[in-house]
Amino acid sequence: ETGVTQTPRHLVMGMTNKKSLKCEQHLGHNAMYWYKQSAKKPLELMFVYNFKEQTENNSVPSRFSPECPNSSHLFLHLHTLQPEDSALYLCASSPAPPGELFFGEGSRLTVL
Amino acid sequence: QKEVEQNSGPLSVPEGAIASLNCTYSDRVSQSFFWYRQYSGKSPELIMSIYSNGDKEDGRFTAQLNKASQYVSLLIRDSQPSDSATYLCAVNGYGGSQGNLIFGKGTKLSVKP
């Protein structure tokens, strides 16, 4: 596998469910990111990890919980989400912040 | 509030023409500038980065940066239908948000055969 891979690609969940998004990068980068993309809005940075340490939390609600066990893997744990959280969640990596980002294909989340 | 502004378009150009995409930014200390292309239903992919005033060319793409005017542009020469996509401008700055790339909403480009 090459690049940045995200799973699942599509996720439908109820407001009381708990689910997780997974991201893995095979580029040897040290920084990983979660972005949210909603219709007619610019890409919103959620979290930044550099050498598996969180360096940015862009005022994200606590119902989103990131986890970065090592520089190659990043998770986003989801619980008690709201319908307005429905969006495309993009994982990205770069050699170091704020470098050139390489994005995964995204996880399309729908909250019912 | 740091902002990146782009004309949402759609920008329509005929095949073979030059497409000109523009972006302005509010943070005077920004040092790094990027252009991403996003096809419908796909994730963004990096096509150009520029860090110094002036022009940077890569194939049919030219990025232009003017820090005094806080303006960055992307020119696509000999536009092809396959260039039809949304182009995102991204800018970063120093200080507390050095790792924070701020994206514009994107300009949708349509190249007509």
Side-chain angles (χ1 to χ4, degrees):
Chain A
E1 294 234 35
T2 59
V4 181
T5 56
Q6 289 186 243
T7 56
R9 295 291 308 279
H10 299 273
L11 179 63
V12 180
M13 58 187 290
M15 293 169 60
T16 58
N17 290 159
K18 289 185 180 181
K19 297 285 184 183
S20 295
L21 307 181
K22 178 183 175 182
C23 176
E24 183 174 0
Q25 60 98 358
H26 306 270
L27 299 170
H29 291 164
N30 297 314
M32 297 188 76
Y33 310 75
W34 281 116
Y35 277 87
K36 176 183 178 183
Q37 189 171 40
S38 306
K40 299 187 179 180
K41 285 187 175 182
L43 275 169
E44 299 173 59
L45 178 68
M46 300 176 72
F47 302 102
V48 180
Y49 280 82
N50 191 26
F51 290 98
K52 75 177 184 179
E53 298 296 323
Q54 188 179 118
T55 58
E56 185 90 23
N57 177 337
N58 199 23
S59 304
V60 180
S62 60
R63 57 186 183 270
F64 295 91
S65 176
E67 179 189 358
C68 188
N70 54 60
S71 294
S72 299
H73 295 85
L74 185 63
F75 296 87
L76 188 62
H77 304 299
L78 316 169
H79 62 98
T80 59
L81 294 190
Q82 305 298 311
E84 59 265 29
D85 296 323
S86 298
L88 181 67
Y89 289 85
L90 291 161
C91 175
S93 70
S94 72
E100 300 169 346
L101 300 179
F102 292 81
F103 286 91
E105 289 298 318
S107 294
R108 173 71 62 185
L109 172 66
T110 302
V111 182
L112 302 176
Chain B
Q1 177 80 6
K2 300 175 184 177
E3 292 184 342
V4 177
E5 299 287 342
Q6 294 182 258
N7 187 328
S8 62
L11 173 66
S12 184
V13 300
E15 184 175 356
I18 296 175
S20 178
L21 304 160
N22 305 314
C23 173
T24 58
Y25 59 94
S26 62
D27 190 351
R28 286 193 166 275
V29 300
S30 293
Q31 296 292 321
S32 305
F33 307 86
F34 306 89
W35 283 99
Y36 289 82
R37 177 177 62 199
Q38 187 171 22
Y39 292 114
S40 180
K42 299 292 187 182
S43 60
E45 58 178 324
L46 179 69
I47 52 173
M48 291 286 285
S49 59
I50 186 166
Y51 304 94
S52 304
N53 277 329
D55 295 359
K56 179 182 178 182
E57 187 175 318
D58 184 359
R60 294 185 297 112
F61 299 96
T62 299
Q64 299 176 317
L65 175 62
N66 184 326
K67 291 184 180 180
S69 300
Q70 295 175 235
Y71 177 93
V72 58
S73 64
L74 179 70
L75 301 178
I76 307 175
R77 289 183 301 282
D78 188 24
S79 296
Q80 301 297 310
S82 59
D83 295 325
S84 298
T86 297
Y87 289 81
L88 307 176
C89 174
V91 175
N92 90 298
Y94 283 110
S97 296
Q98 183 177 358
N100 189 353
L101 268 193
I102 304 165
F103 283 81
K105 291 184 180 180
T107 298
K108 188 172 184 178
L109 172 66
S110 178
V111 181
K112 304 294 187 184

